[in-house]
Amino acid sequence: MMPSAQAHAPYGMTEVLPVADIDLPELERAGSGNGVCVGRPVPGVTVAISALDADGNPTGPIVEERSVTGEVCVRAAHTKQRYDRLWVTERAASRDRGWHRTGDVGHFDDEGRLWIEGRLVHVIVTADGPVTPVGLERLTEAIPAVRRAAAVGVGPRGAQQVVMVVELGASGNGLAPAPLRDAVRLAVKPTGIEIAAVLTVGVAARRHPAQLQDRPGAGRPVGPAGAGRRTGWRPMRVLLTGASSLLGSQVVRQLTARGDHVSTLQRHPTDVAAELGLTEHLGDINDAALVAEAVEGVDSVIHLAARVGVVGSREQFFQTNVVGTRTLLAAARAAGVSRFVFVSSPSVAHTGEALAGNGAEPADPRHAKGQYSRSKALAEVEVLAADAPGFATIAVRPHLVWGPGDTQLVGRIVDRAKTGRLGLVSGGRALIDTTYIDNAADALVAAVDHIDAGHGRAFIVSNGQPRTVEEMIERICAAAGVPGPSLTVPQPVAWAGGAVAEAAWRLARRTDDPPMTRFLAGQLGTAHWFDLRETERVLQWRPRVDLDEGFERLSSYYATHP
């Protein structure tokens, strides 16, 4: 350009142009922010914002306030009044008392400059509220390897997870390698927005859809961080079954620490009971006399004991998980217990389809996959049906609980990694929820405290931080200092291999779990993450240990337990 020329960038749209203007020096002064700075309104144009509600809709009044994010609304004498024969566009381009609603989302900064944060139809509505994409995309595009980026929402509106799709300029699509994934998360960290996954594409993305297609149609409650004392708290007498498990021992510690009187019921003595000097009732959950003795004088029961895994007959799972629960229910009612918390599993409602942002769907004993899931579904149905005045019941479904000392999820992954037998199903692309041990224990304590608000219902519990299977397994391996997955197989192959392994284990009468099962192939190859808003609202609970802190604790554990 000529030495005296000035560079300007106008902002506007077909219906009204220009709306705002900015020159290069002003753009440089504006610096980085949430979106693209387009300057100040030009003379004769009034720009205002219609604030977004929790569902991402511009329902707020049209105001010229600063730092309010919402739909950009314009009023000017040169606004186009009609669309000739484009009657569909005419109908879509709504006007509100002379205001033209642009379909863009943005805000004014403290200097009165307008920032565009994306299109209204591209707003991602998470459980924490609306998230606009452009600011996240610009931060990601500052990473040298990234040519372009798109922040998109995955899952049902209101419980969406933010996934970043990046174009690298090379062939190949799939999950981003760990260094790039971590770089994206680090780049957007100042925004406080969590990125569930990073995907790569190696071809040019399609252009944005036409403006007509962009037109739209028509918070997450914050409770106490943990499971502290409820309003009107008084010490309870709690019986917990299954204290020998990682989750059971953690719940015992939390209840005891806050002053509750805890006793346990399980087959064998536990370290936690010995350490805390607790009364233990040792024996089978189906022993009616033992169970009646255990519930005597108790006001709350947390029923965690169960037969888990995939090996065993239908009768074995049914006897422990269904008949045992019936025995405990009957004894608890007869003894005057007022609160009964049943520890269930999200698998009771998993019929094989992906679960993406689901709540606690009804347990489905007929279609749940595997003997464990079917038996737990039957038991949950009976527990919730037993809810009555004076005897409140509730089901809590923690999903994939893990933490230091875990021998189920973490222990099995680490053992297989050590022997080079650790693989992924379909590349580990499925997005899944998990639950750090402290968060799961908090939720069970909260269920006891707030059972009156949620009695007769089931509630999902997880960290609320979905990650790909690949990332979760890689980070567990890194924490334990073992090699990550070395191979990947398509889900149909894994399913077939699981069927063969199950048959071989039955013929050999083995009691340990096979390396692959049909149920496990489905779990590793299918998305299953959840909407926690109802759990948080009713139980006044929220995860207090995030994944990063959980993995730091896991690393510290393996540093002293090689």
Side-chain angles (χ1 to χ4, degrees):
M1 295 188 297
M2 297 295 290
S4 59
Q6 294 182 341
H8 286 253
Y11 163 73
M13 59 287 305
T14 303
E15 295 83 1
V16 50
L17 182 69
V19 168
D21 176 76
I22 190 169
D23 61 20
L24 185 58
E26 180 74 10
L27 188 60
E28 292 173 341
R29 284 195 299 272
S32 61
N34 184 22
V36 176
C37 186
V38 296
R40 296 178 174 82
V42 300
V45 174
T46 303
V47 179
I49 303 295
S50 178
L52 302 181
D53 61 17
D55 295 321
N57 299 315
T59 59
I62 298 175
V63 297
E64 297 179 52
E65 295 178 11
R66 308 220 173 143
S67 301
V68 173
T69 292
E71 185 177 14
V72 176
C73 301
V74 178
R75 188 156 54 189
H78 58 281
T79 302
K80 186 174 181 64
Q81 297 302 310
R82 58 189 301 275
Y83 283 88
D84 302 323
R85 291 169 294 179
L86 301 179
W87 61 271
V88 174
T89 305
E90 177 72 40
R91 184 176 60 187
S94 60
R95 291 172 174 80
D96 186 350
R97 296 190 305 277
W99 290 99
H100 170 63
R101 290 184 173 270
T102 67
D104 288 341
V105 177
H107 69 278
F108 286 106
D109 64 17
D110 291 338
E111 301 296 323
R113 295 176 295 229
L114 179 64
W115 292 72
I116 300 301
E117 301 176 48
R119 294 288 289 164
L120 187 60
V121 75
H122 297 150
V123 170
I124 302 163
V125 186
T126 72
D128 286 324
V131 172
T132 54
V134 171
L136 300 176
E137 293 165 355
R138 286 171 62 86
L139 290 170
T140 301
E141 288 167 349
I143 299 171
V146 176
R147 291 180 59 187
R148 290 193 291 180
V152 299
V154 174
R157 195 172 177 85
Q160 289 181 314
Q161 299 293 324
V162 182
V163 171
M164 189 68 71
V165 183
V166 299
E167 183 183 332
L168 301 179
S171 60
N173 305 322
L175 297 176
L180 177 57
R181 178 193 71 212
D182 295 341
V184 171
R185 290 206 180 117
L186 181 63
V188 306
K189 187 175 182 178
T191 68
I193 302 301
E194 186 142 348
I195 306 299
V198 180
L199 308 181
T200 63
V201 294
V203 294
R206 292 180 180 270
R207 62 182 178 83
H208 280 297
Q211 183 168 331
L212 177 61
Q213 295 170 295
D214 283 348
R215 293 297 301 180
R220 182 170 177 169
V222 179
R229 297 180 175 181
R230 63 189 185 280
T231 303
W233 180 88
R234 62 176 178 79
M236 293 185 294
R237 302 190 68 86
V238 184
L239 172 70
L240 185 137
T241 71
S244 56
S245 67
L246 178 70
L247 179 55
S249 62
Q250 183 67 16
V251 174
V252 166
R253 293 182 190 282
Q254 291 193 14
L255 290 171
T256 303
R258 71 177 196 171
D260 289 319
H261 306 292
V262 182
S263 56
T264 67
L265 169 61
Q266 65 279 328
R267 290 179 177 274
H268 306 290
T270 62
D271 292 340
V272 67
E275 173 191 334
L276 299 175
L278 306 180
T279 299
E280 289 188 290
H281 303 273
L282 303 179
D284 195 296
I285 191 72
N286 286 303
D287 184 336
L290 173 68
V291 171
E293 176 188 313
V295 298
E296 188 65 35
V298 166
D299 52 56
S300 302
V301 169
I302 300 177
H303 181 31
L304 179 60
R307 184 183 183 95
V308 298
V310 297
V311 173
S313 66
R314 177 187 181 280
E315 178 59 27
Q316 288 173 319
F317 280 99
F318 184 85
Q319 194 65 29
T320 299
N321 296 345
V322 181
V323 177
T325 300
R326 287 175 184 167
T327 303
L328 186 60
L329 271 174
R333 278 187 299 224
V337 171
S338 59
R339 299 164 184 248
F340 193 102
V341 177
F342 177 67
V343 183
S344 187
S345 164
S347 65
V348 300
H350 189 202
T351 60
E353 300 295 325
L355 300 175
N358 293 52
E361 306 290 342
D364 188 351
R366 288 188 60 192
H367 300 103
K369 302 297 183 182
Q371 299 297 350
Y372 168 75
S373 299
R374 285 192 283 271
S375 62
K376 291 293 284 186
L378 283 167
E380 181 183 300
V381 169
E382 294 194 16
V383 168
L384 297 184
D387 181 70
F391 186 68
T393 67
I394 193 171
V396 179
R397 303 174 183 171
H399 187 54
L400 293 179
V401 179
W402 63 278
D406 170 32
T407 59
Q408 296 296 314
L409 178 65
V410 172
R412 292 181 182 184
I413 288 173
V414 171
D415 287 345
R416 292 183 184 181
K418 288 179 178 178
T419 58
R421 297 182 296 113
L422 183 62
L424 298 172
V425 174
S426 298
R429 294 189 296 271
L431 204 61
I432 62 168
D433 256 339
T434 62
T435 315
Y436 187 73
I437 179 63
D438 290 27
N439 299 329
D442 286 348
L444 295 182
V445 177
V448 174
D449 289 348
H450 301 286
I451 196 169
D452 290 341
H455 66 92
R457 299 173 58 188
F459 296 91
I460 295 283
V461 167
S462 76
N463 256 58
Q465 297 175 284
R467 294 290 185 267
T468 62
V469 172
E470 177 197 50
E471 179 178 346
M472 287 301 301
I473 291 179
E474 283 184 346
R475 295 189 70 176
I476 287 171
C477 291
V482 297
S486 57
L487 60 106
T488 180
V489 296
Q491 187 175 14
V493 175
W495 191 93
V500 171
E502 289 175 43
W505 255 243
R506 282 194 300 270
L507 289 172
R509 298 183 182 277
R510 295 182 61 165
T511 58
D512 60 327
D513 286 341
M516 179 56 68
T517 66
R518 288 169 293 178
F519 177 78
L520 184 58
Q523 290 286 296
L524 293 176
T526 306
H528 38 102
W529 54 274
F530 306 95
D531 182 353
L532 302 182
R533 287 176 294 175
E534 190 67 1
T535 304
E536 293 176 343
R537 183 185 70 81
V538 176
L539 301 187
Q540 298 184 33
W541 162 91
R542 192 170 190 175
R544 61 183 171 92
V545 180
D546 66 15
L547 287 180
D548 289 341
E549 183 178 348
F551 282 118
E552 288 177 5
R553 295 184 184 184
L554 191 63
S555 295
S556 298
Y557 171 81
Y558 274 107
T560 56
H561 297 77

